[in-house]
Amino acid sequence: MSTLISEIPSVDSLSTESILQGNALESEAIYILREVAAQFERPVLLFSGGKDSITLVRLAQKAFYPAKIPFPLMHIDTGHNFPETIAFRDKLVAELGVELIVRNVQDSIDQGKVVEETGKYASRNTLQTTTLLDAIEEFKFDACIGGARRDEEKARAKERIFSVRDDFGQWDEKSQRPELFDMLNGKIELGQNVRVFPISNWTELDVWSYIQQEQIEIPSIYFAHKRNIFLRDGLIWSAEDDVVFRAEDEVVEERTVRFRTVGDMSCTAAVESEADTIDKVVSEIRASKISERGARIDDKRSEAAMEKRKQQGYF
């Protein structure tokens, strides 16, 4: 991914309709990012190394070009991230010359603030809420920009673009401000902060179409590759690390897979796929009838799993 904004590359494989839609979404997101810079004193971009946060970085480049992105990137590292994602994160940050803040869930565990889960479905995904809230307090961030989208999960659909959190980092879905697109209200009380979602109105297909249009580099894990896996509960799990719990009767085999989302390894399953280029991924997503979050086991703990995590301060 280039650190400079160049002319839009050839998009012969994209329809005129998708280009126009993408341009409108891009303009909206850039407007939101500029409003964040104008209204808040200490914003930060939450960066996971996934396609949505990578898209946000490109949008931020465009929003403030030719200047550098005027706020740091922050990664809440569970310690169970895919190695390909971490390698890509470090490469991108070096190319952009932006500040990267990393805070580790392992530190929260070592400090006794959270307790490591054990067993078949153990994950650190929920534990990162504490690490995130501590980091917000440490740096006094008043706006945290993230790549959440309304189409991901029903709790996400309730969010405003400027979503206020109280001084405990908690979200009250019943007490949200009316919000018109051209009247983003960044006024907050002492101790409050705002979560900002510039691509809230995008879909998974919109993100991939934008990546295709902009020719944005993304981690290799998003493309089809051979991987040692095992099956559980109808899902495909990586068997190439010591993070994901695997029972003795769960047999390892090699398949061609890719990941539609790249969260914590312990709760992120793969999908069988032959899509090894962006064009093929876009075609695959266009034909898919299953949400990308269908491969996230943490969303399946209960009907309201995401909403409960968000009420506690999760992004």
Side-chain angles (χ1 to χ4, degrees):
M1 178 176 176
S2 172
T3 59
L4 299 178
I5 302 300
S6 57
E7 293 183 2
I8 293 177
S10 172
V11 289
D12 293 340
S13 58
L14 297 172
S15 68
T16 301
E17 181 181 356
S18 65
I19 293 172
L20 293 174
Q21 171 72 1
N23 289 344
L25 291 171
E26 179 190 70
S27 296
E28 177 186 65
I30 286 174
Y31 166 77
I32 293 166
L33 287 166
R34 288 173 176 167
E35 283 295 302
V36 171
Q39 295 193 45
F40 297 95
E41 294 183 5
R42 293 188 62 80
V44 65
L45 192 155
L46 300 183
F47 187 79
S48 68
K51 66 185 186 308
D52 298 315
S53 58
I54 293 168
T55 296
L56 278 181
V57 169
R58 171 53 64 91
L59 290 165
Q61 283 182 276
K62 287 196 170 187
F64 303 106
Y65 182 78
K68 287 186 177 181
I69 297 172
F71 35 73
L73 277 54
M74 183 166 72
H75 182 204
I76 303 301
D77 189 348
T78 66
H80 292 172
N81 297 100
F82 290 98
E84 297 94 330
T85 306
I86 297 299
F88 182 89
R89 177 200 71 186
D90 294 343
K91 176 177 178 288
L92 179 63
V93 168
E95 289 180 354
L96 295 178
V98 296
E99 178 186 1
L100 173 67
I101 298 168
V102 179
R103 287 298 178 266
N104 299 289
V105 171
Q106 185 63 54
D107 290 338
S108 298
I109 296 171
D110 294 342
Q111 294 162 7
K113 294 181 177 180
V114 294
V115 178
E116 181 93 76
E117 295 181 0
T118 59
K120 188 175 182 180
Y121 297 105
S123 171
R124 287 186 174 183
N125 202 49
T126 58
L127 305 185
Q128 63 185 315
T129 297
T130 296
T131 312
L132 171 62
L133 294 179
D134 284 349
I136 292 171
E137 176 62 25
E138 176 185 357
F139 293 98
K140 306 301 180 186
F141 291 128
D142 53 2
C144 298
I145 306 162
R149 307 186 321 269
R150 288 184 174 129
D151 74 319
E152 288 182 278
E153 203 272 345
K154 58 187 178 183
R156 297 286 199 200
K158 298 179 181 180
E159 293 273 18
R160 300 293 190 262
I161 290 173
F162 278 13
S163 185
V164 179
R165 301 300 201 267
D166 65 19
D167 53 359
F168 295 103
Q170 297 174 329
W171 174 65
D172 182 2
E173 76 283 3
K174 297 178 181 178
S175 302
Q176 295 199 77
R177 302 165 173 169
E179 182 176 78
L180 300 176
F181 167 64
D182 59 350
M183 294 180 64
L184 295 174
N185 184 354
K187 293 182 180 179
I188 54 175
E189 302 296 332
L190 182 65
Q192 291 181 328
N193 63 82
V194 170
R195 307 290 170 84
V196 181
F197 306 109
I199 60 171
S200 184
N201 292 327
W202 298 41
T203 64
E204 181 187 12
L205 181 59
D206 290 329
V207 171
W208 276 106
S209 296
Y210 190 71
I211 290 170
Q212 181 185 36
Q213 174 180 309
E214 292 285 308
Q215 296 183 7
I216 300 173
E217 184 181 352
I218 56 174
S220 60
I221 201 167
Y222 279 113
F223 300 111
H225 59 282
K226 291 188 181 299
R227 179 174 286 261
N228 290 325
I229 61 91
F230 67 94
L231 303 179
R232 177 193 298 151
D233 301 331
L235 297 175
I236 302 171
W237 299 96
S238 175
E240 296 192 350
D241 53 74
D242 297 324
V243 170
V244 183
F245 176 91
R246 180 169 59 84
E248 292 182 2
D249 61 345
E250 291 175 322
V251 180
V252 175
E253 58 182 291
E254 184 180 78
R255 292 194 185 183
T256 300
V257 301
R258 72 178 193 87
F259 291 84
R260 288 177 67 181
T261 178
V262 292
D264 191 295
M265 285 188 287
S266 61
C267 62
T268 306
V271 295
E272 286 198 87
S273 173
E274 297 292 336
D276 56 1
T277 67
I278 289 180
D279 288 349
K280 290 179 182 178
V281 169
V282 170
S283 296
E284 183 178 272
I285 297 301
R286 196 181 299 277
S288 177
K289 296 181 180 179
I290 301 174
S291 165
E292 64 190 302
R293 304 279 311 184
R296 290 291 292 273
I297 196 67
D298 52 320
D299 289 349
K300 302 178 186 297
R301 293 190 173 196
S302 75
E303 282 293 319
M306 173 66 81
E307 187 156 328
K308 288 180 179 178
R309 294 203 305 275
K310 287 169 67 62
Q311 289 168 349
Q312 294 165 357
Y314 183 78
F315 196 77

